[in-house]
Amino acid sequence: MSEIPGLDGVLGVEHLEAGPDKVVVRFTIGEAHLQPFGIPHGGVYCAVHESTASTGGMIWLNETGQGVVVGTNNSTDFLRQGKVGDVITVTATPIHRGRSQQLWHLDSVDQDGRLMAQGQVRLANLDRELPPEAWAAFARKDKQP
């Protein structure tokens, strides 16, 4: 677990870089990331992909105005099986950012640079204010080393 609130904290995600045009995070596959058959659960990649894209989407949306992003589609392809101890780096970059939606591309690579999973996350831009306490937690998450 990390100091980051929510599911990212439970999964042990560390934020390495966070900006409107690129977000990079890292996590190490542990026993808690495995499905019952002893291999990493694909849902871990999906969850990290969505939160990583959402981080970039929120930063961009709030630099250009105000609002909240929510995931509307998450498509992840699993290309290589990881193992306990593998360090996975996830990089999110925008494909499209518009008035009502965003589309982000994600690559997950292991410590040797091998592509483990690749995906796309579509976000809806909602015209509503983020509660101040949520923004404070988000800002703290964004500043994690």
Side-chain angles (χ1 to χ4, degrees):
M1 288 181 72
S2 72
E3 298 299 315
I4 297 174
L7 185 57
D8 277 2
V10 171
L11 295 174
V13 174
E14 304 171 69
H15 285 234
L16 305 176
E17 179 181 342
D21 299 319
K22 183 179 178 184
V23 178
V24 182
V25 304
R26 174 177 60 205
F27 68 96
T28 301
I29 296 174
E31 296 290 329
H33 296 103
L34 304 181
Q35 45 117 301
F37 305 108
I39 61 174
H41 195 292
V44 172
Y45 292 98
C46 292
V48 175
H49 282 186
E50 186 162 335
S51 63
T52 304
S54 294
T55 297
M58 279 295 293
I59 293 169
W60 176 79
L61 187 61
N62 285 277
E63 282 187 355
T64 62
Q66 161 174 301
V68 176
V69 299
V70 295
T72 59
N73 189 47
N74 183 332
S75 175
T76 301
D77 293 306
F78 312 109
L79 306 170
R80 182 183 296 273
Q81 181 179 315
K83 63 186 180 315
V84 171
D86 282 348
V87 177
I88 307 299
T89 301
V90 179
T91 303
T93 54
I95 296 169
H96 167 78
R97 294 182 289 198
R99 182 184 52 78
S100 63
Q101 64 182 345
Q102 302 179 45
L103 182 63
W104 286 73
H105 173 84
L106 297 108
D107 284 328
S108 292
V109 300
D110 71 3
Q111 64 278 354
D112 298 319
R114 296 178 296 189
L115 189 61
M116 307 298 279
Q118 188 172 64
Q120 288 187 356
V121 172
R122 183 174 302 280
L123 305 170
N125 301 331
L126 303 181
D127 186 20
R128 65 175 60 141
E129 210 169 306
L130 188 64
E133 63 277 4
W135 186 253
F138 178 80
R140 280 193 305 277
K141 172 177 132 175
D142 184 42
K143 294 191 179 359
Q144 293 293 315

